Amino acid sequence: MFNKADVKSRAIELYQTGIEAANPATLVRRCFNRVQPTRSSTHILSVGKAACSMMDAALENVAASSAIVITSYENLRPVKGAQVYGAGHPQPDENGLKAAFRVKALAERLTQDDLLILLLSGGASAMLPCPIPNLPFEDKQTLNTLMLQSGMTIEQINLVRQNLSQLKGGRLRQLAEPAAVESLILSDVIGDDMKVIGGGLTASPLGNPSNAISTLTDAGLWPHLPSSVRRALTTLAPAKISNFPTNNVLIGSNIQSLHTMAAASGGKIMNVKLTGSVADAADEISTNILSDSSSILIWGGETTVQVTGKGKGGRNQELALRVLQKLHNLDGAWAFLSAGSDGIDGPTDAAGGLVDHTKRFSTNTQALLEDNDSYHALEQMDALFRTGATGTNVADFQIFIRDRTLAKT
């Protein structure tokens, strides 16, 4: 596969292999024979970072009565035959709120003669905010910020979101009854739990309000939440989601990309569920590298960062820095890349970090890391990895390449 001399180029090439394996348009075309219109009128809703490409492919196969696309601003572009809306991510915004109410209105007017095709990809949960009545939108935004900074997992975050939403946790499916619903899902969630991906718009909920309260309490957030959020969760009755049938089809995922990367390169997959704190992940990765002599090692997952500093960065940038810190004495030429498959890492313009044997972890780097300022630490050593929006999202890739035939400089 590889014909380039340096290890950094090899890592980038392998990352691109993983991205291509998660090409949303290709995946939709490949599986569309499973979704045959069975009603007189077909409506298509595409939500997430891959929404535009997924809608393009769907409209090649179906004459839709209506087509709505909601995606992040980085991936926003016109789609012929569809209404396209930009929405905030990871922080929900007013544009996403307006788009969410358009989706709610569409679902409510569907009848038994209609088919709703949902094309779901990563980021949809934040892009489709539709708070329950009497919950101010700005309070839900505050809740979202607190959860993102706390180090909560996406499963925990979406559990809370579902209990405060009119669409998530299966409520979109319920609103669409008695229409038929088919969902094609590109997973950005490790483990591919349909209840978690995109907030589980057509799946059963992750838990009830009591579970949400316990989750927020365990994270230390409950006393800091807006009063409207605490009031809603303490007074809400558990949702009664019907068992109306839905065909949820997984079309792509992180693990599928990892296996494609390994097959193309001869690399060794070390962990397909790299989760938890970036510090623990860095320990695991460095231990793997120091104990395994393979030339190419691959991990996939989605780690978390508990933000205590005031710096700028993301989980992949911080993970790259922490791995660099642990590999400073490693012999030979090597490179380590940690990056989001969507091309975005935290509130930055970078996908992650690409470090190698030429980089040095200094006392200044340590100070920046302690301030959660991985972006500027990597920028100073020319180790930010920028791709721009990739148009897909299947969580994160971590790639280690070594070549003992190349001299360490």
Side-chain angles (χ1 to χ4, degrees):
M1 169 189 171
F2 298 118
N3 55 16
K4 298 176 181 177
D6 66 283
V7 286
K8 288 175 65 177
S9 295
R10 297 181 193 182
I12 294 170
E13 188 176 349
L14 190 51
Y15 171 86
Q16 293 297 341
T17 298
I19 297 301
E20 184 54 36
N23 183 291
T26 301
L27 294 170
V28 170
R29 292 188 190 102
R30 186 180 299 162
C31 73
F32 217 90
N33 59 351
R34 305 182 191 183
V35 183
Q36 298 296 330
T38 57
R39 306 292 173 99
S40 59
S41 182
T42 300
H43 305 266
I44 308 177
L45 168 64
S46 190
V47 190
K49 294 180 181 179
C52 292
S53 295
M54 293 179 82
M55 181 63 83
D56 281 334
L59 291 176
E60 291 173 4
N61 292 272
V62 173
S65 300
S66 68
I68 297 176
V69 175
I70 303 168
T71 194
S72 59
Y73 299 117
E74 296 87 354
N75 291 288
L76 186 63
R77 62 172 174 81
V79 175
K80 186 177 180 180
Q83 295 177 295
V84 183
Y85 303 96
H89 182 277
Q91 179 67 290
D93 66 4
E94 293 287 346
N95 288 333
L97 181 67
K98 293 175 183 177
F101 277 104
R102 289 186 176 93
V103 169
K104 181 173 181 287
L106 167 65
E108 288 175 331
R109 69 171 182 263
L110 296 179
T111 71
Q112 62 183 4
D113 297 322
D114 294 310
L115 166 66
L116 175 65
I117 299 177
L118 173 65
L119 309 174
L120 191 62
S121 57
S125 183
M127 294 175 207
L128 208 62
C130 192
I132 59 176
N134 302 316
L135 178 61
F137 182 55
E138 56 270 21
D139 287 354
K140 194 169 184 181
Q141 289 176 308
T142 298
L143 166 67
N144 190 72
T145 299
L146 290 170
M147 291 194 296
L148 291 175
Q149 293 179 345
S150 71
M152 288 171 60
T153 66
I154 188 59
E155 291 83 359
Q156 293 170 326
I157 290 172
N158 277 352
L159 163 63
V160 175
R161 286 173 171 170
Q162 287 177 358
N163 279 281
L164 299 172
S165 172
Q166 297 187 66
L167 295 176
K168 300 178 182 71
R171 291 174 177 84
L172 174 64
R173 176 67 193 94
Q174 193 163 44
L175 289 174
E177 293 177 7
V181 176
E182 304 274 357
S183 297
L184 300 183
I185 300 173
L186 180 64
S187 172
D188 67 329
V189 172
I190 304 309
D192 305 325
D193 187 346
M194 300 290 186
K195 297 178 181 179
V196 182
I197 304 166
L201 297 172
T202 56
S204 57
L206 287 161
N208 57 39
S210 178
N211 299 137
I213 292 171
S214 296
T215 298
L216 291 166
T217 301
D218 291 344
L221 297 183
W222 185 255
H224 308 289
L225 299 177
S227 59
S228 63
V229 173
R230 295 198 304 270
R231 182 169 55 252
L233 289 174
T234 53
T235 58
L236 279 172
K240 295 181 180 179
I241 305 299
S242 68
N243 292 320
F244 207 85
T246 300
N247 188 23
N248 292 320
V249 180
L250 181 71
I251 65 172
S253 67
N254 184 270
I255 193 170
Q256 291 179 21
S257 285
L258 297 185
H259 282 296
T260 300
M261 294 158 67
S265 66
K268 182 177 181 180
I269 298 175
M270 303 303 293
N271 191 346
V272 298
K273 294 183 179 181
L274 189 70
T275 56
S277 74
V278 290
D280 291 343
D283 286 341
E284 177 180 335
I285 288 170
S286 59
T287 298
N288 291 160
I289 292 169
L290 295 172
S291 62
D292 194 302
S293 60
S294 302
S295 298
I296 301 175
L297 302 177
I298 302 167
W299 303 258
E302 186 170 278
T303 57
T304 57
V305 176
Q306 185 169 4
V307 179
T308 57
K310 298 180 180 179
K312 176 181 179 180
R315 59 180 181 262
N316 287 289
Q317 293 163 64
E318 185 163 323
L319 181 54
L321 269 185
R322 289 181 179 275
V323 170
L324 174 65
Q325 182 181 27
K326 294 176 179 296
L327 297 184
H328 64 281
N329 288 326
L330 186 64
D331 292 333
W334 60 268
F336 175 74
L337 171 63
S338 182
S341 61
D342 57 357
I344 302 164
D345 186 39
T348 76
D349 62 352
L354 176 55
V355 296
D356 67 1
H357 56 277
T358 68
K359 309 304 180 187
R360 298 293 176 262
F361 192 96
S362 65
T363 54
N364 177 61
T365 307
Q366 179 65 40
L368 290 170
L369 178 59
E370 290 175 356
D371 195 34
N372 294 120
D373 202 2
S374 54
Y375 181 91
H376 291 108
L378 291 168
E379 185 177 49
Q380 289 177 7
M381 62 179 75
D382 192 28
L384 285 171
F385 180 61
R386 294 185 176 96
T387 64
T390 64
T392 192
N393 187 16
V394 288
D396 303 334
F397 303 146
Q398 287 80 32
I399 301 164
F400 174 77
I401 309 276
R402 81 172 105 212
D403 191 337
R404 294 185 178 87
T405 67
L406 297 179
K408 183 175 181 180
T409 57

